[in-house]
Amino acid sequence: MRAPLQTLLADTEIQANELIKQVKKLQLEKKELESIDERIQERKDFSEEIYNQKYKLFSIIDLLNPAVDTKIESKLTELRGNLRAVKESLSKYNMNDLIKESEKKINEYMYDIGNEFDFEDAYDPINLKFSLESFDLYHDDINKNKKIYLRSMGSGANWLYTHLTLFLALHKYFVSLGEDCLIPSILFLDQPTQVYFPNFSRDTEKSFSKDEIKSIEMLDDNKIDEDMKSVTNIFDQLNNYCISLEEEFGFSPQIIVTDHVDNLMLRNGSFESLVNGNRWRTKKLMNFDKVYKYIKSSNYSITPYL
């Protein structure tokens, strides 16, 4: 009796295993269908939200439609008339030619100034261009016939030198105009060396020390020497710039720089004569205690931000 039952049991187990496999397969298919269903539902919800926002935008556009708002249409007509009048007035001064001539001079100044800074080798020679129409600033790579805009110029040092080049070129152009220019010949630069020494706030010593900076920035000897060379060159070029402008135009502009570097060995001039004793590591830019006492004793209602 046991023998036929064992045979039947074996057949039943085989059938059971087959059914288990089919169940697992169906479970996987069910899970996949549920996942598809969820994605479809998400897309449906997203599509519905898009339509809702679209309807809201259409409603706003309808409200702002000049065709149904006579006040807006009247204002637009008035503004267009004013714009035509301004353009007619400007046409008397030949502004387009003046802008092109100014832009050409500024770009020439930028070429001479920019090639004295330590741009990356990929931008050698640097050929910066600035548009007075769009205010676009870019490197014009003649060899590759390609414009590389500031946002794509890589390192912070490139950004620093690009801005310095532009500011100095604009500054020189203003100086070249002489008394016809109403812009004061003063340029203020704050922490231009921060791209080399970003942790300057931790430099709390009473005097600038290359070894201290090396420790703060965790630099090796070669790197700190290279950075100090680039930093020194910045101040060298600012000094040379002032000297060259005085020789060319008989007038030296004023460049004010707030920075924490000190005692640099310049190639053309004395760093000490430029600093002229204005070191603010201990006395700071201004005595805030005295300022605050003055404000309290006066009738001004001012809260100083220290």
Side-chain angles (χ1 to χ4, degrees), residues 38-290:
E38 287 177 2
R39 291 200 297 270
I40 291 174
Q41 186 61 40
E42 288 175 358
R43 292 178 183 176
K44 181 180 177 183
D45 294 341
F46 184 66
S47 299
E48 289 177 352
E49 183 61 26
I50 290 175
Y51 286 125
N52 289 335
Q53 296 300 325
K54 182 179 178 182
Y55 295 141
K56 289 180 182 178
L57 286 172
F58 281 142
S59 300
I60 294 172
I61 291 171
D62 288 339
L63 292 173
L64 297 176
N65 189 352
V68 297
D69 193 330
T70 54
K71 289 184 178 180
I72 294 179
E73 184 62 34
S74 175
K75 189 66 176 177
L76 281 174
T77 302
E78 179 185 350
L79 290 173
R80 290 189 184 106
N82 293 340
L83 182 60
R84 281 195 297 271
V86 170
K87 287 182 176 179
E88 289 175 3
S89 299
L90 289 175
S91 64
K92 300 175 184 177
Y93 297 95
N94 197 16
M95 289 296 294
N96 288 334
D97 289 344
L98 288 173
I99 289 174
K100 288 179 181 178
E101 182 182 347
S102 302
E103 190 176 281
K104 181 181 178 182
K105 284 187 177 180
I106 292 169
N107 289 337
E108 288 174 354
Y109 293 155
M110 283 203 297
Y111 185 85
D112 294 335
I113 294 169
N115 280 288
E116 298 297 330
F117 287 119
D118 296 335
F119 281 92
E120 292 178 354
D121 293 341
Y123 303 102
D124 185 21
I126 190 69
N127 187 29
L128 293 173
K129 301 291 183 182
F130 180 66
S131 169
L132 291 175
E133 292 284 353
S134 64
F135 272 41
D136 282 335
L137 179 59
Y138 58 90
H139 166 63
D140 189 6
D141 193 329
I142 300 176
N143 296 327
K144 298 180 181 179
N145 194 23
K146 181 181 179 182
K147 295 179 180 179
I148 304 175
Y149 289 88
L150 178 61
R151 59 181 175 272
S152 305
M153 288 185 66
S155 71
N158 285 338
W159 277 49
L160 168 66
Y161 295 138
T162 299
H163 282 91
L164 284 178
T165 300
L166 174 61
F167 295 156
L168 293 176
L170 289 171
H171 204 230
K172 183 175 181 178
Y173 175 69
F174 299 149
V175 171
S176 71
L177 297 177
E179 294 182 357
D180 292 334
C181 182
L182 300 179
I183 300 174
S185 296
I186 298 174
L187 182 62
F188 183 90
L189 302 173
D190 180 42
Q191 292 289 339
T193 67
Q194 189 174 351
V195 295
Y196 292 102
F197 309 134
N199 298 309
F200 68 91
S201 60
R202 292 165 52 194
D203 179 19
T204 57
E205 298 296 322
K206 291 185 178 181
S207 60
F208 177 80
S209 168
K210 186 179 80 170
D211 292 334
E212 181 69 18
I213 295 299
K214 173 185 172 183
S215 175
I216 291 173
E217 303 293 344
M218 294 184 291
L219 304 174
D220 58 35
D221 289 335
N222 290 335
K223 181 60 177 170
I224 188 66
D225 288 341
E226 289 177 6
D227 288 352
M228 286 301 303
K229 182 179 178 181
S230 296
V231 166
T232 302
N233 185 60
I234 292 173
F235 288 89
D236 259 324
Q237 297 312 318
L238 294 178
N239 186 37
N240 293 341
Y241 170 83
C242 291
I243 294 173
S244 65
L245 259 64
E246 186 170 21
E247 292 175 350
E248 184 174 354
F249 302 106
F251 173 76
S252 178
Q254 184 178 19
I255 300 178
I256 302 171
V257 185
T258 54
D259 213 304
H260 68 133
V261 295
D262 200 358
N263 299 316
L264 301 177
M265 299 298 293
L266 302 183
R267 291 191 295 269
N268 190 13
S270 166
F271 186 80
E272 193 62 36
S273 66
L274 300 177
V275 174
N276 196 26
N278 292 311
R279 288 181 170 84
W280 301 315
R281 283 177 177 264
T282 54
K283 67 180 183 180
K284 309 301 179 185
L285 278 170
M286 64 176 66
N287 190 322
F288 284 109
D289 290 335
K290 290 184 178 180

